[in-house]
Amino acid sequence: MNVKVAGIGKGYRKGYGDGYRLGLCQAVEQRAPLPQPSFRDMKVLYVPQGFHAIDQGVAEALRSLVSECIVVEALNMLKMAESERPDLVLVMNGLHVFPEKHLDDINKIREMGMQTAVWFVDDPYFTEDTARTCTKYDIVFTHELGCIPFYRELGVSRVHYLPLAVNTNMFKPQHPGTEYLYDICFIGNAFWNRVAIFDKMASFLEDKRVLIAGAFWERLTQIKKLSRSLHMGFIPPEDTVNYYNGAKIVINIHRPDEYGQDNRNIHRIKAKSINPRTYEISACGALQITDVREDMELHYRPGYDIVTFGSVKELQEKISYYLEHEDERLKIAWRGLWTTRKEHTFISRMKELLELV
């Protein structure tokens, strides 16, 4: 998409919150309608993980695609399957909040002749756990390219690459309040690779309006320089959307994949795929600067609808450049919104999943 707007600089410089950005985002939304659902006469039992934005997006997409979608917690999965006899039982992740006996329940569901599938969306960070559970399902979906051969070697006959997506009912362009306006925003937990980057950028960020939010940021060695920018603790999705909309630049840094660095990746699978934040930032019409994962160019075009960096020096240079070049910043952000709406919604992903099932 090539956005051409006369007088873009003059109109926008009155203030970031004057509605100009939002007006152009709305124009993109009108020109890039969301994919239309295609109906399937089947019943799906969906078992959520507890990731609010993802679970809501999946459930809403399924409800528009199949004749019946029933959402049930893992504890009641077997009982509901026995009474409803769905065509498919789809489990989100099967980790963390799932009871130990859920694999026994999955086995009983399979014995009753119902098809089961799991979508691993935390790969490869918990391979210690997913290696144990992957063979218990009829079909395995993973958002992580690097885990495809891993699951096949473990004996999974039906394993598919299914990238993550965005809940566009939640992550979308909107007008944020003044308390959400920042030059630079990063929301996420303080994994050690992220700590190292922000420690190195501390002096660079001191004179800018910056938000760094999430857990464990006390790990910073330069915490004094960044203290005014820190928001310790969880940011709910509703506020995250406002911060993304209010920031001129949103930084995305993927978590490390090394075993022992806040991960249970005991099999040391190399991470190749982009995180859900990639889609969520772009769906808000914000300029995103992200580190690179191998499958990035399958989904976005660096320099066109997303911006990438490979070092702290490059990240700082690109932050400085795009803070000074509003026209280019906005055009890339709008293109990212366009790409995300056309290609990376949960309706698109669930259509693909159902076809593969």
Side-chain angles (χ1 to χ4, degrees):
M1 183 190 64
N2 184 21
V3 179
K4 295 183 179 179
V5 182
I8 185 171
K10 293 178 181 178
Y12 188 71
R13 290 182 178 90
K14 292 188 301 179
Y16 188 73
D18 66 357
Y20 184 81
R21 180 198 71 92
L22 184 60
L24 268 294
C25 284
Q26 290 170 342
V28 171
E29 290 177 307
Q30 292 169 5
R31 293 177 58 195
L34 297 172
Q36 294 301 303
S38 54
F39 179 78
R40 288 176 180 269
D41 185 16
M42 65 184 296
K43 182 187 290 189
V44 177
L45 188 68
Y46 176 60
V47 188
Q49 168 68 64
F51 301 149
H52 179 56
I54 293 176
D55 287 328
Q56 184 186 81
V58 169
E60 289 175 355
L62 286 172
R63 288 187 180 112
S64 72
L65 292 168
V66 300
S67 53
E68 187 173 0
C69 172
I70 304 166
V71 179
V72 62
E73 298 300 319
L75 281 171
N76 300 316
M77 173 176 63
L78 177 59
K79 182 179 179 181
M80 188 64 73
E82 287 174 331
S83 64
E84 293 294 334
R85 311 294 298 190
D87 300 293
L88 173 69
V89 176
L90 174 62
V91 171
M92 175 58 68
N93 234 13
L95 300 173
H96 313 315
V97 300
F98 276 68
E100 186 65 29
K101 77 176 190 72
H102 92 273
L103 292 176
D104 295 332
D105 292 348
I106 287 292
N107 185 55
K108 292 174 183 176
I109 290 169
R110 294 178 72 182
E111 288 176 349
M112 288 188 286
M114 286 170 264
Q115 189 163 218
T116 63
V118 63
W119 188 10
F120 291 131
V121 297
D122 262 340
D123 279 340
Y125 311 114
F126 296 90
T127 59
E128 182 174 342
D129 306 296
T130 61
R132 179 175 56 87
T133 62
C134 64
T135 57
K136 307 301 183 182
Y137 295 87
D138 296 302
I139 311 170
V140 169
F141 296 95
T142 175
H143 83 108
E144 174 52 60
L145 270 177
C147 282
I148 298 293
F150 172 64
Y151 292 132
R152 285 178 179 157
E153 288 170 7
L154 289 172
V156 180
S157 59
R158 298 177 67 186
V159 55
H160 301 284
Y161 170 61
L162 188 71
L164 275 159
V166 64
N167 179 356
T168 52
N169 287 329
M170 182 177 294
F171 290 91
K172 57 187 177 181
Q174 61 189 41
H175 185 75
T178 56
E179 68 272 26
Y180 297 104
L181 302 185
Y182 286 88
D183 294 331
I184 300 155
C185 168
F186 176 84
I187 298 176
N189 290 336
F191 297 116
W192 287 107
N193 64 321
R194 296 170 176 174
V195 170
I197 288 173
F198 281 102
D199 270 336
K200 290 178 182 177
M201 290 205 301
S203 297
F204 170 77
L205 296 174
E206 272 190 298
D207 64 341
K208 298 172 179 63
R209 184 166 167 78
V210 180
L211 173 75
I212 303 168
F216 315 121
W217 285 102
E218 62 273 8
R219 292 173 171 180
L220 288 163
T221 60
Q222 300 296 318
I223 195 166
K224 288 185 178 179
K225 288 185 178 180
L226 294 171
S227 60
R228 70 182 183 90
S229 300
L230 295 177
H231 182 291
M232 301 290 193
F234 176 71
I235 300 287
E238 295 78 10
D239 283 339
T240 298
V241 173
N242 279 314
Y243 284 121
Y244 287 168
N245 274 275
K248 296 178 181 178
I249 294 171
V250 181
I251 298 173
N252 182 11
I253 305 168
H254 291 78
R255 67 189 287 177
D257 55 21
E258 292 89 351
Y259 176 64
Q261 286 204 342
D262 302 307
N263 293 325
R264 292 167 59 85
N265 185 13
I266 194 171
H267 295 277
R268 294 172 168 81
I269 305 299
K270 180 68 176 174
K272 299 181 178 181
S273 294
I274 58 180
N275 58 21
R277 188 175 288 110
T278 311
Y279 308 107
E280 291 166 355
I281 296 168
S282 292
C284 292
L287 177 75
Q288 176 174 182
I289 305 183
T290 179
D291 58 349
V292 180
R293 283 283 174 87
E294 186 174 310
D295 75 350
M296 169 72 69
E297 293 191 32
L298 297 177
H299 308 297
Y300 293 95
R301 287 187 280 172
Y304 179 78
D305 52 15
I306 200 166
V307 178
T308 59
F309 72 93
S311 67
V312 172
K313 181 175 182 292
E314 184 180 8
L315 175 56
Q316 290 181 168
E317 290 173 349
K318 288 187 173 179
I319 288 173
S320 296
Y321 180 84
Y322 286 108
L323 286 178
E324 293 298 321
H325 292 80
E326 293 173 330
D327 295 20
E328 294 180 51
R329 183 177 77 232
L330 290 170
K331 286 180 181 178
I332 292 173
W334 292 326
R335 291 173 186 144
L337 173 61
W338 175 281
T339 299
T340 304
R341 286 177 60 83
K342 296 286 283 187
E343 300 177 15
H344 304 310
T345 67
F346 277 113
I347 287 181
S348 294
R349 295 293 188 265
M350 289 302 99
K351 286 172 72 173
E352 183 177 355
L353 182 146
L354 293 172
E355 288 168 4
L356 291 166
V357 167

